[in-house]
């Protein structure tokens, strides 16, 4: 019992450390992006321990980049992570760095497994190491997916403002590239970074159709496809761009208004979904409090680990079905 508590404490501390590292790294990335627009303060050579660790780790990732890029398998896998690289970070971060981070997290989880087996005086099994390696390897993917969904959601909420800005620019006689430039300056992150990329692509000679088609594929939301298809049709057939964007603006405004009304109407159903998701976890917690040894057999055999994996998959399927049943498409 005490060994299990120690193991849980170690895992929680590690997760807290990883979260702190991610937050500090995000803050450092933002600082580097805006540093060129600010006056340098009086330099202080004192750095916190977290800053030193992050700097050392980033140097390690950069050094490992050369070795990792020589392996064809890692190069092929890294291509799917290019969509997670923001425009402002493209000079510092490469897709192969994500594979390095995944492997490092996997090794950390393997170390936790070995350490926990030693604490519990159990024989180190290949299955336990393999399971924790797989968990660590895909944990970073889960973080990237959640982060990307949050980013897309922010972009989706900003699209109406982007269309209003571009429509006002068209009304004042601006061209498409000028409207994109104005939008990139007036919008906030993360959508302004996308418009900065669009502006540079157009500035370097790419056609409006191409850059907005790439934008729609990167974001993969309906509003971006509206803009892309509208500009493509206008470039091929001609027409009044102000009328087209005014129509898009009205459509998105009505859609956003309808979405807010549906959100207010589905508050109670969303609360039911959250309760149904929490109930199984609370139920397991109550059983563990009443009988701490109830789940011990699951951690002492291969069949037990298979049952645990099956339970986790069933819970994920249960949560997914609840979200699908209760979700209302606008």
């Amino acid at each position: 019992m005490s060994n299990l508590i120690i193991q849980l404490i170690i895992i929680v501390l590690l997760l807290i450390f990883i979260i702190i590292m991610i937050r500090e790294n995000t803050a450092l990335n933002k600082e580097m992006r805006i540093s060129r627009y600010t006056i340098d303060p009086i330099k202080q050579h004192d750095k916190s321990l977290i800053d030193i660790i992050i700097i050392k780790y980033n140097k390690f990732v950069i050094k490992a980049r050369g070795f990792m890029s020589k392996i064809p398998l890692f190069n092929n896998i890294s291509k799917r992570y290019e969509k997670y690289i923001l425009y402002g970070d493209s000079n510092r971060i490469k897709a192969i760095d994500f594979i390095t981070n995944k492997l490092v997290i996997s090794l950390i989880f393997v170390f936790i497994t070995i350490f926990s087996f030693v604490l519990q005086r159990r024989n180190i099994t290949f299955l336990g190491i393999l399971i924790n390696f797989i968990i660590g390897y895909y944990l970073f993917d889960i973080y990237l997916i959640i982060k990307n969904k949050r980013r897309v959601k922010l972009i989706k909420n900003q699209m109406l403002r982007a269309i209003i800005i571009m429509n006002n620019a068209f009304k004042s006689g601006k061209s498409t590239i000028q409207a994109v430039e104005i939008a990139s300056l007036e919008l906030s992150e993360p959508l302004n970074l996308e418009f900065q990329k669009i502006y540079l692509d157009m500035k370097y000679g790419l056609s409006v159709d191409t850059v907005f088609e790439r934008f729609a594929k990167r974001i993969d939301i309906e509003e971006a496809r509206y803009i892309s298809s509208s500009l493509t049709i206008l470039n091929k057939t001609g027409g009044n761009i102000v009328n087209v964007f005014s129509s898009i603006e009205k459509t998105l405004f009505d859609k956003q208004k309808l979405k807010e009304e549906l959100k207010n109407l589905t508050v109670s159903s969303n609360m039911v979904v959250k309760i149904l998701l929490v109930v199984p976890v609370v139920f397991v917690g109550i059983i563990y409090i009443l009988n701490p040894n109830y789940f011990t057999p699951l951690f002492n055999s291969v069949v037990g680990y298979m049952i645990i994996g099956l339970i986790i998959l069933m819970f994920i399927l249960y949560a997914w079905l609840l979200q699908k049943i209760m979700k209302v498409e606008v």
Side-chain angles (χ1 to χ4, degrees), residues 24 46 50 68 119 148 188 243 250 263 270 272 286:
E24 289 289 333
D46 296 334
I50 298 295
M68 297 290 288
L119 284 178
N148 188 58
S188 57
N243 292 337
K250 185 178 183 303
K263 186 178 179 180
N270 290 332
V272 171
I286 292 172

Side-chain angles (χ1 to χ4, degrees), residues 9 16-17 21 37 51 55-56 72 78 84 92 103 107 127 138 154 158 194 212 239 242 247 274 307 315 321 324:
I9 291 173
I16 292 173
F17 178 75
M21 290 281 290
Y37 303 112
D51 292 336
I55 292 171
K56 294 287 185 182
S78 64
Y84 297 118
R92 297 186 307 101
L103 292 176
L107 293 176
L127 180 62
Y138 287 104
L154 289 173
Q158 292 176 325
E194 293 294 335
F212 276 95
V242 175
S247 177
K274 292 177 182 178
I307 293 173
F315 182 77
L321 286 174
K324 281 291 182 182

Side-chain angles (χ1 to χ4, degrees), residues 155-214:
I155 289 175
K156 197 171 184 179
N157 293 333
Q158 292 176 325
M159 282 303 299
L160 178 58
R161 175 169 167 76
I163 291 172
I164 292 173
I165 292 172
M166 292 184 68
N167 192 25
N168 291 336
F170 290 138
K171 288 178 180 177
S172 61
K174 304 291 184 182
S175 63
T176 303
I177 189 171
Q178 290 173 327
V180 170
E181 183 183 12
I182 293 171
S184 67
L185 295 174
E186 295 192 12
L187 291 169
S188 57
E189 289 189 8
L191 188 55
N192 66 330
L193 298 177
E194 293 294 335
F195 272 84
Q196 287 176 15
K197 182 174 179 58
I198 292 172
Y199 173 70
L200 285 179
D201 288 344
M202 294 175 67
K203 193 175 179 181
Y204 290 141
L206 294 177
S207 64
V208 176
D209 302 354
T210 303
V211 294
F212 276 95
E213 185 179 353
R214 290 181 179 180

Side-chain angles (χ1 to χ4, degrees), residues 5 25 45 60 90 143 145 148 156 174 187 189 195 203 255-256 271 303 313 330:
I5 294 174
N25 192 37
H45 299 286
F60 163 75
S90 57
Y143 164 74
I145 291 171
N148 188 58
K156 197 171 184 179
K174 304 291 184 182
L187 291 169
E189 289 189 8
F195 272 84
K203 193 175 179 181
K255 183 178 179 181
Q256 187 169 343
M271 183 61 67
V303 177
L313 288 176
V330 181

Side-chain angles (χ1 to χ4, degrees), residues 280-295:
V281 179
V282 173
F283 183 70
V284 171
I286 292 172
I287 293 177
Y288 181 77
I289 292 172
L290 295 176
N291 186 4
N293 297 322
Y294 185 83
F295 298 106

